[in-house]
Amino acid sequence: MNDTRGRRRTTLVVALALIAGLGATVPAQADDPAYPFRNPNLPVEKRVDDLLSRLTLDEKISLLHQYEPAIPRLGIQSFRTGTEALHGVAWLGKTTVFPQAIGLAATWDPSLIRQVGSAVGDEARGFQQQRPAGWGLNLWAPVVNPLRDPRWGRNEEGYSEDPYLTGSIATAYGTGLTGGDPNHLKTAPTIKHFLANNNEIHRDTTSSQLRPRVLKEYDEQAFKPAIEADATTGVMSSYNLVNGRPNTVNPALNDTVRTWTSQDLLNVTDAYAPGNLVGSQKYYGTQTEADAAALKAGIDSFTDNDTDSGPTTTALKSALSSGLLKESDVDTAARHVLSIRVRLGEFDPGGGKYGSIDASVIDSPAHRALARKAATEAAVLLKNDGALPLRKSGSAAVVGPLADTLYTDWYSGSLPYAVTPKDGIEAKLGTSVASSEGVDRISLKDTATGKYVTAGAGDAGAPLKETTENGAGAQFDVFDWGSGVVALRSAANGKYVGYNWSNFVNDQTQPNGWFVQQQFKLERQDNGTYLLRYAGYETGESWWSNPVYLGPVDADGTLGLVAEDKAAHYSKDVVRSGVDEAVAAVKGKDTAVVVVGSMPAINGREAHDRTDMSLSPSQEALVKAVRKANPKTVVVVENSYPTTLGALQKEVPALLWTTHAGQETGTALADLLYGDANPAGRLTQTWYRSDSDLPSILDYDIIKSNRTYLYYKGQPLYPFGYGLSYTTFRYGGLKRVSDGYEVKVTNTGRRAGDEVVQLYVHQRESRDKQPLKQLKAYKRVSLKPGETQTVRLKLRDSDLAHWDVTRSKWVVESGTYDVMVGASSTDIRSRTSLKVRGETIPPRDLSAVTSAEDFDDYSAISLVDESKAGGTAVSATTDGAWLKFADTGLRSGASEVTAQLAGASGTLEVRLGSPTGRLVGTARFDGTSSPYTYETVTAPLTGAKGRTDVYLVLSKGVRLSTFSLR
């Protein structure tokens, strides 16, 4: 009886504690619901409060590394951030592989993308019972960096050059991943890479220059929508610097990103980025200083030293003991981590709302169907002179290096099955079709010894040797991917040759790996022989010191790396011409389908930007030869970025673009080519005619350099938003409604089809340079032949705002705005004008303290970090560098300039009207020993009055933080 009373008393205490959200004094087992943090009926914040209160300082610190250890005394399992899920769950085995991200965005279909995100989230959950190595529910996706430059090596990972389209697709994908419930997360997606990360060359040491308008109007706008919509649970800081400061310690992680939502965010670093702060970036002297600064800037989880959390926890403890951090700083970050883990249902009975999802969802029939739909919607019809759709009754040949293979990229899952273009067309026609990869098969004979380069038979292959064999073992298929780079596939076993840090072995199914060691160059010599050069990605690294040419290194003829003067000279004998074989395959056929494009591991990828955007020379030659042999040639371009295409765009009757679209690529292509599906994908980037249309990939100022469709004044090959259909559409007039505009769209053709209705605006008059056109709304609609739909597109006056650098705020200017709707950014079908009563930006008032970064124009200026903790200054890169502050009202006159200067000694001149205009004052500066030590410098002004443009002209090396004219 006494025991019964005790149990009743305990029950009452527990009940009261739960009501109060307390429980610290209640005895309980590790998994006992008496712990409030395990009570799913309590608010998230109270559960986090409770759990945080139970952790020791060491335990809280342990949560701040990618690999969070278990805490057995509380029944808490280990947790890991960072499962890749860009277009399907990656690196965990066979999962549904959807089209690359650039292809998902090309659907312009947020509803579909949300379904794809939901499927990916389900499959991530599908591993939760087994918890394989590398698995976790914090997913590192999507990538929302706007695709400012199509040469970016990671172009395939992003969505669009337009921040609005990027934001809407990211929100849809993220909502699918999270499940759309603010308190219960299916998965916890992390968008990346914050911020301005569009170049791979020297990505850890280059600084992206973001003037305030580019920062606010362009880069931030790609990240903000998904965070505002709670479609993501944090951001990953990128490797690069912005305005001289590494993003790992970017104060905007706290000061800006967290203001976009009321939810706790879990911000993570990119892999090994904390170490860069001390290493390649040399921004801090010790890891203790670096990690403390990152935590205070807004990082919650350190991705460093792989599974070894020791260096991170040691640095953080050192920062606490030295006063660089307070325990409250650790608590704040730990709270962010725990908030996500609570919302994931980790501490709920049965794993919470999504705890019952199991492995049966992975590559399920429903997900296969969704992959097919996504691959179909993602394709863009670039040209069609009546050649498409094809007749199913006709004969066909499918040729080209991508005709009968599917490639995966670095962030792809493993294909559960593969429907190649050839497979898809054969299934569509119900018969086999002629096919050829169209690549040469060659042998390489050492001209000095007469021996052949020979590979091994069997799946494992063997190290390459020079032998007397001249059969299949001495033959290689040469895949030309452009820029002189080829991959060699052994005819002996169908495997690619790669370097293994010791030998060259034919043992790979496709080029792959971090360094992609299946790359070679055949360098023709003046005497007609060839040197075989190894071109794996590691040869471009600063630490690479080995030679790069191949030659025998052992008595048995085994090939290795040798100096150029010891390299073997080979004759290249063509055993079988790829062009001749392809031509033979297409002759006499009713249709020739040529599938060309890229190899995702070779034609640019993470850590390697593209050197050009054209097809490889051999692929162009293949298309031309096939077209000559069979005029009924259609071309499929399968790659991950805009392509210049050369003369092919004019020569072939039909062009269809697809990204690498996953396991259902061939089925989708067959459906599209033969008319069972009507193409409706639209380009999400400008396709330029030439690489010369683009400035340096390191130029981030899209406003000044006139890049992306927003500012580009040239004639593109294909414009942003472009894509054709097998049917036609008519647009009615634009009608103003309460929340935007309506337009009637009619399918005037004989086929059902989808149209992507796009609404753009242009501001006619402005104080500032404005985009030529800017996407503000879109909708993909399905229409039967003859059907009309009224399409409503939302547009508010506030959507017309831009960043006013004179007052550092968003402003909608009074004036007339063009409102345009159409089928692409250049195919405008209906337009109207909108008069807006907003603001008139007043003349600048430079009598107030003005940030130098808030200029209107500039020359020879670099944006730099004002201090390591925050702020932006400007630095002159040459003598005569200048800043323009337009339309300044000096009223009755300013008599003195005051400036905060640092860096090299020199002068600051104040001129009116132009950089060489009337000089009204000169401030002389003796320099400071540190670029972060600013001195106040003053100088008198003479004749500085009226309403005019003010120019500040600086000597080389002078840094300017703020100034005023009074």
Side-chain angles (χ1 to χ4, degrees):
M1 186 170 290
N2 289 337
D3 289 343
T4 302
R5 289 196 194 101
R7 283 195 296 270
R8 288 174 179 170
R9 188 178 298 112
T10 301
T11 301
L12 177 60
V13 172
V14 170
L16 291 173
L18 290 178
I19 292 171
L22 302 173
T25 61
V26 180
Q29 299 299 315
D31 58 352
D32 194 314
Y35 282 132
F37 77 82
R38 292 194 178 279
N39 183 355
N41 298 316
L42 289 177
V44 171
E45 59 270 20
K46 288 192 176 294
R47 299 176 70 184
V48 173
D49 286 343
D50 175 70
L51 179 50
L52 193 62
S53 72
R54 297 177 185 279
L55 298 176
T56 67
L57 178 57
D58 282 353
E59 287 169 341
K60 288 185 287 190
I61 293 173
S62 77
L63 301 176
L64 308 187
H65 187 265
Q66 179 184 22
Y67 288 85
E68 303 172 30
I71 304 176
R73 69 182 186 85
L74 294 175
I76 295 175
Q77 296 188 82
S78 60
F79 186 86
R80 176 186 183 271
T81 63
T83 295
E84 302 292 352
L86 191 58
H87 53 108
V89 180
W91 304 358
L92 297 179
K94 293 182 177 180
T95 58
T96 307
V97 179
F98 294 95
Q100 290 177 312
I102 185 69
L104 293 176
T107 67
W108 292 60
D109 189 345
S111 177
L112 172 66
I113 302 309
R114 180 169 180 168
Q115 294 177 56
V116 172
S118 182
V120 176
D122 284 345
E123 296 202 6
R125 279 279 180 176
F127 290 97
Q128 64 188 349
Q129 274 76 38
Q130 292 78 27
R131 293 171 64 97
W135 171 85
L137 292 176
N138 173 238
L139 307 183
W140 286 355
V143 170
V144 300
N145 298 104
L147 301 180
R148 170 191 61 91
D149 193 308
R151 296 167 299 187
W152 184 33
R154 304 182 76 168
N155 196 82
E156 67 203 30
E157 298 181 33
Y159 289 138
S160 172
E161 69 184 29
D162 180 78
Y164 174 79
L165 180 58
T166 294
S168 66
I169 297 296
T171 299
Y173 191 70
T175 301
L177 291 174
T178 65
D181 183 330
N183 294 315
H184 300 89
L185 294 169
K186 182 189 295 184
T187 65
T190 300
I191 56 176
K192 54 184 186 177
H193 313 81
F194 190 84
L195 183 72
N197 176 208
N198 281 131
N199 63 274
E200 297 303 294
I201 183 171
H202 305 311
R203 60 180 180 167
D204 59 329
T205 56
T206 53
S207 178
S208 305
Q209 305 286 298
L210 294 186
R211 59 195 284 193
R213 282 194 63 197
V214 176
L215 170 68
K216 295 295 182 182
E217 297 174 21
Y218 193 65
D219 284 271
E220 284 186 359
Q221 292 310 303
F223 283 82
K224 186 177 181 181
I227 296 174
E228 280 189 322
D230 292 328
T232 183
T233 58
V235 302
M236 172 190 282
S237 60
S238 55
Y239 289 118
N240 60 293
L241 298 81
V242 165
N243 298 344
R245 181 180 299 106
N247 275 325
T248 308
V249 291
N250 189 337
L253 293 165
N254 270 336
D255 300 344
T256 300
V257 173
R258 295 195 196 276
T259 67
W260 294 335
T261 179
S262 60
Q263 294 275 21
D264 278 335
L265 297 177
L266 166 55
N267 293 335
V268 308
T269 73
D270 209 335
Y272 291 91
N276 291 342
L277 291 169
V278 178
S280 60
Q281 293 165 346
K282 296 180 173 56
Y283 204 67
Y284 295 99
T286 67
Q287 201 63 51
T288 295
E289 295 174 278
D291 285 4
L295 196 74
K296 294 180 79 168
I299 291 297
D300 305 305
S301 179
F302 291 78
T303 315
D304 208 8
N305 300 294
D306 199 14
T307 61
D308 183 6
S309 62
T312 295
T313 57
T314 297
L316 293 175
K317 290 175 184 178
S318 175
L320 284 165
S321 63
S322 63
L324 292 174
L325 289 177
K326 299 176 182 178
E327 186 171 352
S328 59
D329 296 319
V330 173
D331 286 351
T332 297
R335 178 179 297 278
H336 296 152
V337 173
L338 293 175
S339 176
I340 300 304
R341 293 180 66 171
V342 167
R343 292 168 64 197
L344 283 168
E346 178 181 346
F347 310 122
D348 292 357
K353 182 176 180 178
Y354 302 102
S356 63
I357 298 176
D358 60 24
S360 64
V361 301
I362 299 172
D363 189 38
S364 66
H367 290 180
R368 291 183 174 193
L370 187 62
R372 177 175 180 174
K373 180 176 174 63
T376 304
E377 285 201 18
V380 181
L381 183 60
L382 298 175
K383 180 181 180 181
N384 187 20
D385 289 348
L388 295 175
L390 304 174
R391 292 183 297 109
K392 296 176 189 175
S393 58
S395 59
V398 186
V399 300
L402 288 95
D404 198 24
T405 191
L406 296 185
Y407 288 126
T408 54
D409 59 59
W410 178 249
Y411 288 108
S412 289
S414 300
L415 294 169
Y417 60 90
V419 183
T420 69
K422 177 177 177 287
D423 295 335
I425 290 174
E426 286 183 335
K428 183 68 63 179
L429 300 181
T431 185
S432 61
V433 298
S435 184
S436 166
E437 291 176 307
V439 300
D440 287 345
R441 178 166 288 182
I442 67 168
S443 62
L444 296 169
K445 184 170 67 174
D446 189 327
T447 56
T449 65
K451 293 182 178 180
Y452 292 87
V453 176
T454 308
D459 284 345
L464 297 192
K465 295 181 179 181
E466 288 190 2
T467 73
T468 57
E469 179 187 346
N470 62 0
Q475 297 174 3
F476 300 89
D477 297 323
V478 182
F479 289 80
D480 174 15
W481 297 115
S483 301
V485 174
V486 301
L488 302 174
R489 188 181 64 194
S490 170
N493 65 353
K495 296 292 186 70
Y496 285 88
V497 176
Y499 185 52
N500 63 7
W501 305 101
S502 177
N503 300 119
F504 292 90
V505 183
N506 57 316
D507 61 353
Q508 297 298 310
T509 302
Q510 70 172 52
N512 65 88
W514 179 253
F515 289 113
V516 192
Q517 297 175 308
Q518 297 79 34
Q519 300 184 82
F520 299 88
K521 292 185 177 182
L522 287 165
E523 296 182 348
R524 194 176 191 279
Q525 306 301 295
D526 292 340
N527 62 2
T529 64
Y530 291 83
L531 300 185
L532 185 56
R533 180 188 182 99
Y534 174 54
Y537 276 150
E538 74 269 34
T539 62
E541 297 288 340
S542 59
W543 48 262
W544 179 265
S545 60
N546 295 341
V548 292
Y549 290 96
L550 273 67
V553 293
D554 291 327
D556 66 355
T558 298
L559 292 181
L561 293 173
V562 299
E564 183 175 0
D565 61 350
K566 297 184 182 304
H569 285 248
Y570 294 107
S571 64
K572 185 181 75 171
D573 302 322
V574 177
V575 178
R576 184 190 67 203
S577 165
V579 167
D580 290 349
E581 185 183 67
V583 165
V586 303
K587 278 187 176 179
K589 300 299 187 294
D590 294 316
T591 302
V593 178
V594 188
V595 191
V596 293
S598 71
M599 200 286 130
I602 292 176
N603 292 110
R605 49 150 285 182
E606 183 173 358
H608 295 275
D609 294 314
R610 264 171 287 283
T611 55
D612 64 63
M613 295 185 293
S614 62
L615 291 176
S616 71
S618 67
Q619 290 189 30
E620 286 203 27
L622 174 67
V623 173
K624 291 178 180 179
V626 170
R627 164 73 169 150
K628 184 177 180 181
N630 189 330
K632 298 176 181 178
T633 293
V634 299
V635 175
V636 176
V637 178
E638 184 180 336
N639 62 18
S640 315
Y641 49 89
T643 310
T644 50
L645 290 180
L648 294 184
Q649 189 268 344
K650 296 178 181 179
E651 295 176 0
V652 298
L655 277 168
L656 182 70
W657 174 82
T658 179
T659 190
H660 296 279
Q663 62 207 53
E664 288 285 348
T665 298
T667 311
L669 288 176
D671 286 345
L672 292 160
L673 292 171
Y674 285 91
D676 289 332
N678 194 343
R682 300 292 184 264
L683 298 180
T684 66
Q685 291 178 270
T686 301
W687 282 41
Y688 297 96
R689 293 182 179 273
S690 169
D691 297 342
S692 63
D693 290 335
L694 293 166
S696 165
I697 196 172
L698 299 179
D699 184 348
Y700 277 74
D701 190 349
I702 66 166
I703 299 175
K704 189 174 179 69
S705 61
N706 295 321
R707 67 192 317 172
T708 79
Y709 86 97
L710 296 165
Y711 296 98
Y712 180 61
K713 297 178 181 179
Q715 184 68 35
L717 181 67
Y718 295 114
F720 174 80
Y722 175 85
L724 302 177
S725 171
Y726 294 153
T727 190
T728 54
F729 300 94
R730 182 179 68 241
Y731 285 65
L734 273 170
K735 178 183 177 183
R736 180 77 162 144
V737 293
S738 60
D739 60 349
Y741 288 86
E742 285 183 349
V743 62
K744 290 184 176 180
V745 181
T746 303
N747 183 342
T748 54
R750 298 180 180 179
R751 290 177 175 268
D754 288 6
E755 174 71 329
V756 179
V757 183
Q758 304 164 40
L759 185 143
Y760 297 87
V761 299
H762 169 67
Q763 186 174 344
R764 291 185 187 176
E765 310 98 12
S766 175
R767 177 196 182 280
D768 301 308
K769 181 178 179 179
Q770 293 295 330
L772 304 172
K773 290 188 183 77
Q774 190 167 14
L775 182 72
K776 291 297 182 181
Y778 68 91
K779 189 172 184 181
R780 180 165 175 153
V781 294
S782 299
L783 295 169
K784 299 175 182 177
E787 181 183 1
T788 297
Q789 280 192 32
T790 299
V791 179
R792 176 166 285 198
L793 300 163
K794 292 184 178 181
L795 181 70
R796 304 162 299 176
D797 284 359
S798 59
D799 295 329
L800 304 173
H802 78 279
W803 188 254
D804 174 18
V805 293
T806 72
R807 295 172 293 172
S808 295
K809 71 171 191 174
W810 291 98
V811 61
V812 177
E813 290 183 280
S814 296
T816 301
Y817 295 74
D818 295 313
V819 181
M820 301 157 280
V821 67
S824 79
S825 59
T826 60
D827 186 6
I828 301 301
R829 305 292 184 87
S830 186
R831 66 175 64 227
T832 188
S833 62
L834 173 66
K835 292 189 179 298
V836 174
R837 180 177 294 177
E839 295 184 59
T840 298
I841 298 175
R844 272 189 182 271
D845 179 9
L846 296 183
S847 66
V849 175
T850 301
S851 294
E853 67 170 325
D854 287 329
F855 50 74
D856 290 291
D857 198 4
Y858 62 98
S859 175
I861 287 294
S862 177
L863 291 165
V864 294
D865 50 340
E866 182 180 20
S867 72
K868 289 189 176 183
T872 298
V874 302
S875 178
T877 59
T878 65
D879 288 334
W882 54 261
L883 301 168
K884 176 183 178 181
F885 296 86
D887 190 27
T888 295
L890 294 174
R891 300 185 180 90
S892 59
S895 60
E896 184 180 72
V897 57
T898 301
Q900 298 296 315
L901 300 178
S905 62
T907 60
L908 180 154
E909 296 178 345
V910 181
R911 293 180 178 270
L912 304 184
S914 78
T916 57
R918 184 158 57 92
L919 178 65
V920 296
T922 301
R924 302 190 183 280
F925 174 56
D926 293 333
T928 57
S929 58
S930 167
Y932 303 123
T933 301
Y934 288 84
E935 291 187 357
T936 302
V937 177
T938 62
L941 298 177
T942 303
K945 60 183 179 179
R947 188 168 176 176
T948 185
D949 296 339
V950 171
Y951 286 79
L952 302 184
V953 183
L954 302 172
S955 300
K956 181 179 180 180
V958 173
R959 285 189 173 207
L960 171 63
S961 171
T962 62
F963 72 98
S964 62
L965 306 182
R966 296 176 180 171

